Amino acid sequence: MDKIQLQKRTKEFAKRVFKLTDRLSYSQASKVITYQLLKSASSVAANYRAVNRAKSDDDFTNKLKIVLEEADESNFWLTFISDIELLKQDDDELLFLIKESDEFIAIFTAATKTMSLKKPQPKSQSRKS
């Protein structure tokens, strides 16, 4: 999957989360969850877009870590919706979005590991006795 496809995929994820939250019944609990989920899901898309405009490898890695954190937070809120049964546990869209956020976590974890391997490691200094 290239960066353009992943950019489209993260944006589609955010759009689908926005539509999903419209289906939640209004309550104080859903209000909090909706706010947090909307922020994290849209942040996955917006920050992944920023990843592709990074000015250096370090900038790229830092932005990628933000995307990973936001994908993980989105996953938390989506599974929390399922756990407290704000939607039926077998809701197809909710299950899809949980799976999608799991895949984003895997993709962005692998990418950050790859970037850390790419970074030159500091040389250890040995002492002569």
Side-chain angles (χ1 to χ4, degrees), residues 56-58 60-61 64 109-121:
S56 66
D57 282 351
D58 284 343
F60 180 90
T61 301
L64 202 57
T109 297
T112 56
K113 285 181 182 177
T114 298
M115 289 306 292
S116 70
L117 294 173
K118 184 178 172 184
K119 189 173 184 172
Q121 300 300 315

Side-chain angles (χ1 to χ4, degrees), residues 8 14 20 23 25 82 93 104-105 107 129:
K8 288 179 182 177
L20 178 88
R23 294 178 33 220
S25 60
S82 177
E93 186 66 1
F104 286 152
I105 292 166
I107 290 166
S129 305

Side-chain angles (χ1 to χ4, degrees), residues 95-110:
L95 294 174
F96 171 82
L97 291 169
I98 291 170
K99 183 175 180 276
E100 188 74 341
S101 61
D102 282 335
E103 289 181 18
F104 286 152
I105 292 166
I107 290 166
F108 299 126
T109 297

Side-chain angles (χ1 to χ4, degrees), residues 3 6 10 43-44 47-54 56-72 104-116:
K3 65 182 181 180
L6 192 52
T10 57
S43 187
V44 170
N47 282 299
Y48 183 71
R49 185 178 165 112
V51 164
N52 293 308
R53 293 188 310 276
S56 66
D57 282 351
D58 284 343
D59 189 32
F60 180 90
T61 301
N62 289 334
K63 290 177 186 314
L64 202 57
K65 287 178 181 178
I66 293 168
V67 176
L68 174 57
E69 288 174 10
E70 298 296 340
D72 186 57
F104 286 152
I105 292 166
I107 290 166
F108 299 126
T109 297
T112 56
K113 285 181 182 177
T114 298
M115 289 306 292
S116 70

Side-chain angles (χ1 to χ4, degrees), residues 18-33:
F18 272 58
K19 290 177 182 176
L20 178 88
T21 60
D22 283 343
R23 294 178 33 220
L24 298 176
S25 60
Y26 183 81
S27 68
Q28 283 298 97
S30 67
K31 184 177 173 183
V32 170
I33 293 166

